[in-house]
Amino acid sequence: MKSLVVKRSIVIGGHKTSVSLEQAFWQAFKEIAILRNMSLSELAMTIDAKRNGNLSSAIRLFVLEFTRNQTEAARDATAARPANAA
C-alpha cells in the first residue's frame, strides 16, 4: 500500500489553504463528507474550528475518530444480537 502524501487546496471561510494527506485519508475524508451531505470545505471548516494542531493532523485525527466510532457501533450491534441469531 502506497502512503504518498497528496497536497490539495481547500477553501475554508473564504480563505484558500493547502492540506497534505495520504491518499487513504483523502478518500475517507471524502466519504465522510458525502455521508454527512457536506462539501469537503464545509467539513474542513467544522474540523478547523475545533483543532489544536495543524489542519492536516486534525483531519487525520477526525478520520481516525470517525472510523473508531463506526467500529465500536458495529461491535455493539453485533454484541446486542441474540446468540442464536444468524
Side-chain angles (χ1 to χ4, degrees):
M1 174 194 262
K2 290 184 179 181
S3 65
L4 297 177
V5 175
V6 178
K7 189 174 192 175
R8 296 199 176 129
S9 294
I10 294 181
V11 177
I12 299 176
H15 300 289
K16 192 174 185 180
T17 188
S18 62
V19 177
S20 299
L21 298 172
E22 293 77 8
Q23 186 60 39
F25 280 101
W26 275 118
Q27 185 61 40
F29 188 45
K30 289 177 190 176
E31 290 170 6
I32 295 167
I34 290 167
L35 286 171
R36 293 184 175 199
N37 295 315
M38 301 173 84
S39 68
L40 284 179
S41 292
E42 291 170 331
L43 185 53
M45 195 171 0
T46 64
I47 295 167
D48 185 52
K50 300 174 186 176
R51 72 182 168 112
N52 292 319
N54 72 52
L55 183 57
S56 296
S57 293
I59 291 172
R60 284 187 191 93
L61 291 172
F62 172 83
V63 168
L64 177 62
E65 181 180 0
F66 182 88
T67 303
R68 283 183 172 168
N69 290 341
Q70 295 290 98
T71 301
E72 287 177 15
R75 185 184 62 229
D76 293 346
T78 301
R81 285 192 338 213
N84 60 357

